[in-house]
Amino acid sequence: MLLPWVRRVAARRLSRDLPLACSCTAQGPSPRGYSRGAGGKGLVLGIYSSEKDEGAAQFTSAGDAFDRLVCGKLRELLAVCGPPLKKGKTRIFHGLHQDFPSVVVVGLGKKNAGVNDQENWNEGKENIRAAVAVGCRQIQDLEIPCVEVDPCGDAQAAAEGAVLGLHEYNELKQKKKPVVTPQLHGSAESEAWQKGVTYAEGQNLARYLMEAPANYITPIKFAERIEQKLRSFSNVKVHIRPESWIATQQMGAFLSVAKGSAEPPIFLEIHYLGGANTNDSPLVFVGKGVTFDSGGISLKPSSGMDAMRADMGGAATVCSAIVTAAALNLPLNIIGLAPLCENMPSGKANKPGDVVRAKNGKTIQVDNTDAEGRLLLADALCYAHNFNARAIVNAATLTGAMDVALGSAATGVFTNSSWLWTHLYEASILTGDRVWRMPLFEHYTKQVTDCPLADLSNIGKYSRAGGACTAAAFLKEFVTASHWAHLDIAGVMSNKDEVPYLRKGMAGRPTRTLVEFAARLSQDSHNT
Ligand code: BES
Ligand code: ZN
Ligand code: ZN
């Protein structure tokens, strides 16, 4: 028996001769005269899967309009090319329209996909991001410098897919991929499109900082890059605090890590005053900023150690979220704090068994110098309590155990506040950059407070068991605020191929969730 689409095509081809002037390839070479800067733009159009298996696929409204413009040729060509396009699959058509030498049609999956309660994300938005990313990359492969993108009913998601999907770190290569500028196809939804571009550029900034080599992004270079990004905003103040300031603040835990390196530490402090009143209680973000984590004297194995250039992912994501909040002009105050240093072995480095004193006076036995992130954060969290914060949210590539627990599916959130959790969780459903709640039980606290020489040990007493939870319990010892969340982002630090709209490399996650969270907080009258 013939497949339904074969039957449909056969019927059409019997009724009239179908013009096949256009090439139709899944990934074929660009046809002569159209690509390589010859003028014109690429076009990415979405198409939904049919609700019933047998039915024809359904264009988006932009797809429909374009098909009418080319007198129904797109629909006919799609029909002769094969079965209806599955989610994320593409077909390229060349020469359909002079303004668009190459058109990529990409499968969006089911038309009415919304929030998926099992997956904890909005599937429709995720489908759009993934589809648009694939389509835009195909245009990039054809070396066409500009691509118009079908908003697919959600221009923000489409823009995110385009801008995230095209991003690649190639700063230090002589041969770079061609730059492709994505634009909205049509004039509707331009505000949502621009919002998506801003969210995605925020995440791309974090990806850039994380991917860059550690000899390019040292603590001072990191701080200068963020300062430069914020320079144009009159309601932002950036303080780049030097080592002497850190010492005056009695941040002994942070300094103990920094002193092992020849690279001086920096404490970066950002004040974004977007709220109605400059003295409105701010949201305080804190990010772990270890620009390279060798492990120190408890040296890490050399294989894969290069990935520890991204151990400032906490600082990168929170600072990028503030840059994005400023670009969006979000109506709230945000303070960003990033302790930045390297963790290196040297004659001055922490030694296992050393005891250091944090800003709040608590003593810490450094049983493993590779558990350095919590030492920086201990001091930064103490400092965060100076601002009468509505909420304190820290992000850190803190433990390999977090990666073992959840992999790259979601950021682990340890929080003492269900109010805060709800906001983070709801934000993540929209962004698709998910969070998952983790425990802050007393059970884990006991494992860090039972310490021979000091108030706390920097590792849990049962070695690796519940490593992400003992790290969170350690941080809790430096928190008195009633709305605090610790985001362990070690598992989501990099992408292989799990997130289809991010290329392989450092992921910049969960920047968009932090931005969306801040946006929600700015709408929440709940004042604490
Ligand atoms: N930066 C690492 C954690 C990490 C591992 C981040 C893999 C991203 C990917 C952190 O400083 C670390 O080394 N933690 C130790 C803690 C242990 C010694 C208790 C770890 O996870 O092994
Ligand atoms: Zn470490
Ligand atoms: Zn680290």
Side-chain angles (χ1 to χ4, degrees), residues 243 246 251-265 288-297 311 339-346 348-351 354 356-357 364 366 368-379 458 474:
E243 187 163 5
I246 302 168
M251 296 184 170
F254 174 26
L255 277 178
S256 78
V257 177
K259 71 183 163 62
S261 168
E263 208 59 65
K288 169 179 171 182
V290 176
T291 57
F292 189 71
D293 180 11
S294 69
I297 298 297
D311 207 23
L340 295 152
C341 71
E342 288 183 344
N343 184 25
M344 296 293 279
S346 82
K348 291 186 177 169
N350 270 334
K351 301 170 289 298
D354 281 1
V356 300
R357 191 180 297 274
I364 305 163
V366 183
N368 190 316
T369 67
D370 196 11
E372 83 299 339
R374 61 198 79 179
L375 300 177
L376 277 63
L377 289 173
D379 283 334
N458 79 330
F474 177 95

Side-chain angles (χ1 to χ4, degrees), residues 368-413:
N368 190 316
T369 67
D370 196 11
E372 83 299 339
R374 61 198 79 179
L375 300 177
L376 277 63
L377 289 173
D379 283 334
L381 285 169
C382 292
Y383 185 71
H385 285 75
N386 288 339
F387 301 101
N388 184 32
R390 289 178 74 183
I392 300 175
V393 175
N394 75 258
T397 48
L398 204 65
T399 63
M402 193 67 243
D403 185 35
V404 173
L406 300 184
S408 58
T411 292
V413 176

Side-chain angles (χ1 to χ4, degrees), residues 265-276:
I266 294 288
F267 192 94
L268 178 64
E269 181 172 336
I270 305 167
H271 291 236
Y272 164 64
L273 298 175

Side-chain angles (χ1 to χ4, degrees), residues 158-210:
E160 288 173 1
V163 176
L164 292 170
L166 286 167
H167 173 86
E168 193 168 51
Y169 181 87
N170 55 17
E171 188 109 326
L172 305 171
K173 284 186 179 169
Q174 294 196 345
K175 189 169 184 299
K176 303 182 198 296
K177 275 222 167 79
V179 176
V180 179
T181 311
Q183 291 174 346
L184 175 64
H185 183 62
S187 54
E189 289 194 74
S190 63
E191 212 173 293
W193 171 267
Q194 189 46 49
K195 191 171 163 195
V197 169
T198 308
Y199 271 57
E201 283 177 345
Q203 182 168 349
N204 286 350
L205 171 60
R207 291 165 88 185
Y208 167 88
L209 292 165
M210 292 169 75

